[in-house]
Each structure stands twice: as C-alpha cells, then as structure tokens.
Amino acid sequence: MPCRHHDIQVFDGLRCCLACGETIFDIVTNPTPELPRSRNTPYKYAHLNYSRGQEIRICVLFPGRTPDDVVVDLMHVNVRNHPSYEAISYSWATQDGDDSLSKTVDCHGGTILVTKTCEAALRRLRLPGRNRYLWVDAVCIDQTNVEERNHQVGFMGTIYANASQVVIYLGPGTPATDRLLNYLNGNETETDKRIIIHSVISDFLDHRWFDRVWVLQEIALAKLATMVVGEKTIHWTLETINKVLRLCTNREPPSALRWLPASQPERDFLSVLHKSRNCTSTDPRDKVFAVLGLANEDFQKSFPVNYSLTTEEVYTQLIIHLFYVERDLRFLAYASGQIEASQELRDIPSWVPQWDMKSGYDPLPAQFHADDLDALASTWCRLPLQSQPPETDLSKELLQGFLKDLPEDQQPLSSNAWLRSFDRWVDYSGKTCPTREKRTSNGVNPDIEGISLSITQINSPGFHSAIIQGEPNLHRWDEGVFGTSPSTRIPCLRVRAHLLDTIQKVVGFRSYNLIHHRGRNVPHVLERRRLCAPCSEHFVVTPICQHTPTIPHAISKEFDRDMKRVLGEGKTMFETKRSAGVARADVQVTDEIFALDGADVPFVLRQVGEHYVLVGECFLYRALRHALCTCCGCKLEAWPIVTQVIDIW
C-alpha cells in the first residue's frame, strides 16, 4: 500500500515524509493561468471515468492572502490509490437562509458558482504558502450533471471515510463562540460553565450545520474531525461531544450529536432514518440519500441514489425494498399520524413514512409477544354468527360453484374484494341466495360476508403480506371494478389482518400525570362486571377469603401502570367496545384496530370504501388477552378476533 504522507516535516526548505522518505513537491500552479479567465465563462468539467468505479475529483486550493480571489484546480484521482486529501463538511446556506450560488471560484480558465458559505470556507482554509488538497461537494461534483450526482452522492460515504480528516466549517466566529471553544478545549473554568449554558450553547447549536442531514454521514465516517469557527479550531471527539451534550440541559440535542467520528455502519436502516428525521435538507429526497453512507455496503448497492425519481417515488421504493429485504412491517410505526399532519395532497400511500415530516416521536414498545405473533400467523379466526362458514347446502353449492369459476392461478385478494366479487358472481351466474337481501347496519349481508371469509381462507391459507402494484382485471364478471390499486403508480399493501376492536369514544389528549385513580380515569368499559359460572352463583361484593375486592383493584392498577408507560405529550386516549387505548394520531369514532401480520403493536386503520388507510400505531389495553372474572380472577372468554385480508392504500 503506498504511503499517504501523514508524517511530513520540513528539512532545509524541503518537505519530506518521515514514513517513506519521499520528498513532497506541491504542484505550484500560477494563480494567474495562461488561459484568460472570464467570470462569465463557466468551468467545463471533464467527465469522470465510471469504469474505474471509484474516481473522484480533488480540489487543489492554491495559497493566497485574505483579499485575494479563491483560485483552485481540479484533478481526477482514484480512491483505490489512497490519495491524500481532506473533506469539508459545511452548510450550503448562510444563517439567514441564503443558499444562492452568488459567489465564484476561479478554476483553470473558467468559474464555478458556489454559495457564500462555500466560498468563505475555501477562503478560510487555504494555506499561506502551499497548496491544500480538499474534497468539497459544490466544487468537485458537476451539479448540473444528474448522472454524475447520482454516482458521486452514492459514493460520498467512501469519500468521507477515506479522507485524512473532515474539516467542519461553521463560519466566522464571535466572542461568544470563541469562549465556548475555549471551554470545549479545556481552557475555560467550570465557573464559566453556567454563563456558557445560558448565553452561548443555544446560539451555537442553532447553527445550520447541526440541523443539516448531510453532516451525519460526514461525521460518522470521518477518521478524524476538526471543527473550525472563525480563527478557533477544536478536535470533534467523544469528549467534545459529551461536553456539548452536558450543556444541553434545556433543549433536545440535535441529531449531529448522535454519531461519533469513525462510527460503524448501522445494520438497521430504519433506525438511521428515524434518528435523522428532525434534520433538514433542501431536497426532501436527501432525507434518504444523505444517510445511505451509514447503512451497510450491501444495502447501499441494492438501493442506489437516483435523482431522476420524485420524492414520493424515493420514499415508496425505499419501503418496498425494505419490505422485501426484511419481510416485516416495522416501517408502519414510522408512518403514524401522517394523515392529519400532511399539509398537502401527496401521491404516496398512507403506509409509507414521509421522512421529510419532522417528528420527535419514538415508536411504542412491543405489545404482542413472540407467542402471540406465532399464533396470529397460523390462525384464521372468525367471530360467531356473521363470520361462520356457510352451513346450508345451498351456501356450500354457491361457494363450490364460485371457486370452480376462478382461474387456477388466482392471486390472493382482500376479503372485501371477494365479498363484492361473490355478490356480483351471483348476479352473473343467475344463482339465487335466499338470505341475500338481509343486511346489517353497514349494508353487508352477513351470510355473504361469512362466505367471503371462507373464500379468503381457502384461496390464500398461507398468505401473510404483499405489495400490489397495478393489479390486472380479475374476472369477466368484475372487469376493472375492485381489487386494484388507486393507480398503477401508487401501490397498496395487502396484508393478513386480525380485527381486534372498534373505537367508540375519543377521550382526547391526556398526560400520564392525569391517570391517578380508578373512579375518574378507568374507562367505564373496564368496570364491567364479568363473572365465571361458579362466581355468578355465589357472588358477593367482597370475597370471603380476601379483605378487599382485589381483582377490580388489580385491573385498575394494571391499567394505570400501562397508561403511564405509553401516554405522553401529543397522544390521544380512546375507548373501544371492549377496552381502551392510546394513539399518537388523531383517531376518530368508527376507526378500527387491527393486529397486522408480523407487527408487534396494534394499528388504527380507517376504512375508505373497500380499502383502508393507515392512521397509526396504538396501544390497546389487554389486547389478545382473556377477559377475567372480576371475583376470582380466572380466565373467561378469549379476545374475539376476525381474520381477513385487507388492502391499505
């Protein structure tokens, strides 16, 4: 491996590397090149050689005095050859939000447009007597070439990981920032700490750099990081970050403080996206692309950067990719509360997290255990009465006739699709169904609903979940009327779902501090008296063997404990037919609560026509657990469940 010249010393005016003995000669280029420069002539980038895979441009920053123009040259290098360079981490926009390309950098007969911050960084970082070799995105990437941007942005993790150091430029300093950096460098006393907390730290952390999503991988992958603020510098290390964190007593630390230099790539990319969710990016697609360098190498290769996609397409394709790689529905937790929070109509499914919507919310703790998930994955449950399989000979005949008419390769459909399809098939085939006109309050024939659930189970016994895009027409009697996605561009999530409950009352926003005693806070539905057969015959208010009615008290304490664990700021409490629960989203009466196949928390869904939209995850008290006898505490009936296949748009 060639030497990278880390240990350079000056002997008799010559710069030599002590590691390999080689004399280092900078390419001293005349600051005034022979070719005439015109500020109206854009620099023409030479194409990078993608066949080499790891070719980048290095910015050669020529020396100069403070008032001199910034003059650079660009050279092509291959990262595999371990070139020596530093990478710059900075915010494109100034503190007042100016990100216009209003400054120029002179480069070999032409000019490159950059922002004020970029030009100021180059002006501050140039050395007085020799060239400095840097990688700075605004200069080293042809910003007008989409193909090149895709290639280089997807490669930025490697670029920062291979730099000798990352220089963080925060702009010109002030007496306040000078004092803070003195403290972080160990030059201020603890007596001054209190003053620093109130007068400096907030302004320091309000700098745009800390809010910028790109800095996360730039810092996490750096071998060494040095922060430059005005004339002050500091090594950005674990000790420095911990000092800053200790000063964050009255505010939430920015995401930039969650990663340390030389961090290992994260295996869970959803966790990366969530931890960076409150960062800002000018281009919302960068909420994904900017943190790809923090994922493992296999994931980066399987989901490349592509700026030809819209924001909605990037977010949707990412979740589809994660779905087929990980085969679980954990991503649904990060899409909670988007229906009401979104201020614009977007061409994106409700189950796809919109990463450009900032949120300080942490997903709820798991409510379903592994045994619960295994049972749900292998069981098709039906409520009594309307969900019973067809019992009459005529119903069996109708079911057999319908299944006979289906194509052999028919893919799994939603239960609602089967219900409507069977109803239309009866008309198409001229069959008669004696109880067809009998309807429930929601307009559904209970017998046909039972048949549709039977068809679902027969047609897709091992089905769990799938993402459907542009589903073709199903039957000759159902041409283009159901079972399709909202459009060929917007996919739907088809999943085996277990209906647990329906919301009947929205209590409103609640704090866990308000959950104190049973009389005012335990929902009336939980005070219902349920007795087993022996206790119903010999029930007394206070059991003879005990001093107090412990079972109702135990339920009350358990409810209080669970509410304190899940309630908090911005969450809504609700009551259902059987229980009560909490959701962060704005739930409504008649919203339904499902256990979705493979998800360890329940979800609130809202029915729209024959499909559903995702409202958000929730906590449902005692979900999937047996009802208890309020006298002796023995288990009574199991939690009633209806298993079906649903479409979530």
Side-chain angles (χ1 to χ4, degrees), residues 334-406:
Y334 301 99
S336 292
Q338 291 182 169
I339 296 179
E340 290 80 11
S342 182
Q343 298 298 314
E344 58 183 18
L345 184 63
R346 304 181 72 167
D347 209 16
I348 190 170
S350 66
W351 45 270
V352 171
Q354 299 179 35
W355 299 110
D356 56 338
M357 291 176 56
K358 294 188 176 183
S359 172
Y361 171 69
D362 287 322
L364 290 170
Q367 184 173 357
F368 302 143
H369 301 295
D371 292 343
D372 297 326
L373 298 178
D374 290 342
L376 292 174
S378 58
T379 306
W380 288 83
C381 304
R382 293 193 178 105
L383 279 174
L385 303 178
Q386 74 267 25
S387 299
Q388 286 291 343
E391 297 293 344
T392 66
D393 292 338
L394 179 58
S395 295
K396 291 180 179 178
E397 180 183 342
L398 290 172
L399 177 59
Q400 291 172 357
F402 177 79
L403 294 175
K404 184 178 179 180
D405 276 355
L406 287 178

Side-chain angles (χ1 to χ4, degrees), residues 288-509:
V288 173
F289 295 154
V291 293
L292 279 175
L294 297 174
N296 61 65
E297 187 176 353
D298 290 340
F299 187 89
Q300 294 181 50
K301 291 179 179 178
S302 61
F303 191 80
V305 174
N306 187 353
Y307 280 103
S308 66
L309 301 176
T310 65
T311 300
E312 291 76 14
E313 288 171 338
V314 170
Y315 293 173
T316 302
Q317 290 189 18
L318 170 67
I319 293 303
I320 293 175
H321 178 75
L322 286 170
F323 172 79
Y324 285 113
V325 169
E326 301 182 2
R327 282 296 179 180
D328 62 39
L329 302 178
R330 289 186 305 116
F331 58 85
L332 293 178
Y334 301 99
S336 292
Q338 291 182 169
I339 296 179
E340 290 80 11
S342 182
Q343 298 298 314
E344 58 183 18
L345 184 63
R346 304 181 72 167
D347 209 16
I348 190 170
S350 66
W351 45 270
V352 171
Q354 299 179 35
W355 299 110
D356 56 338
M357 291 176 56
K358 294 188 176 183
S359 172
Y361 171 69
D362 287 322
L364 290 170
Q367 184 173 357
F368 302 143
H369 301 295
D371 292 343
D372 297 326
L373 298 178
D374 290 342
L376 292 174
S378 58
T379 306
W380 288 83
C381 304
R382 293 193 178 105
L383 279 174
L385 303 178
Q386 74 267 25
S387 299
Q388 286 291 343
E391 297 293 344
T392 66
D393 292 338
L394 179 58
S395 295
K396 291 180 179 178
E397 180 183 342
L398 290 172
L399 177 59
Q400 291 172 357
F402 177 79
L403 294 175
K404 184 178 179 180
D405 276 355
L406 287 178
E408 293 183 1
D409 59 346
Q410 179 56 52
Q411 63 179 336
L413 296 178
S414 70
S415 299
N416 272 332
W418 286 125
L419 187 150
R420 304 305 174 196
S421 181
F422 179 79
D423 209 9
R424 295 185 183 104
W425 175 82
V426 172
D427 284 336
Y428 178 85
S429 61
K431 303 290 185 180
T432 58
C433 183
T435 61
R436 188 179 179 190
E437 302 305 319
K438 183 172 64 174
R439 304 279 173 173
T440 60
S441 58
N442 61 355
V444 177
N445 181 297
D447 291 336
I448 293 182
E449 182 180 23
I451 291 176
S452 71
L453 293 176
S454 296
I455 296 171
T456 304
Q457 183 175 353
I458 292 170
N459 182 261
S460 50
F463 177 77
H464 294 284
S465 57
I467 292 176
I468 310 298
Q469 303 188 65
E471 190 172 69
N473 295 338
L474 175 62
H475 309 300
R476 56 188 180 279
W477 63 84
D478 258 330
E479 293 183 359
V481 292
F482 77 98
T484 58
S485 300
S487 76
T488 56
R489 294 179 61 246
I490 304 179
C492 79
L493 175 64
R494 184 162 296 163
V495 60
R496 180 157 72 168
H498 311 274
L499 178 61
L500 301 179
D501 218 331
T502 304
I503 295 177
Q504 291 187 320
K505 178 182 178 182
V506 179
V507 180
F509 291 105

Side-chain angles (χ1 to χ4, degrees), residues 150-171:
N150 290 342
H151 179 272
Q152 294 287 282
V153 170
F155 193 51
M156 280 177 65
T158 302
I159 293 173
Y160 278 89
N162 283 272
S164 59
Q165 76 164 339
V166 172
V167 181
I168 305 165
Y169 178 73
L170 295 191

Side-chain angles (χ1 to χ4, degrees), residues 224-245:
L224 174 68
T226 302
M227 181 174 286
V228 177
V229 188
E231 298 303 316
K232 296 286 184 179
T233 62
I234 185 173
H235 291 305
W236 195 247
T237 62
L238 173 61
E239 181 182 359
T240 305
I241 293 174
N242 284 337
K243 278 188 174 182
V244 175
L245 287 172

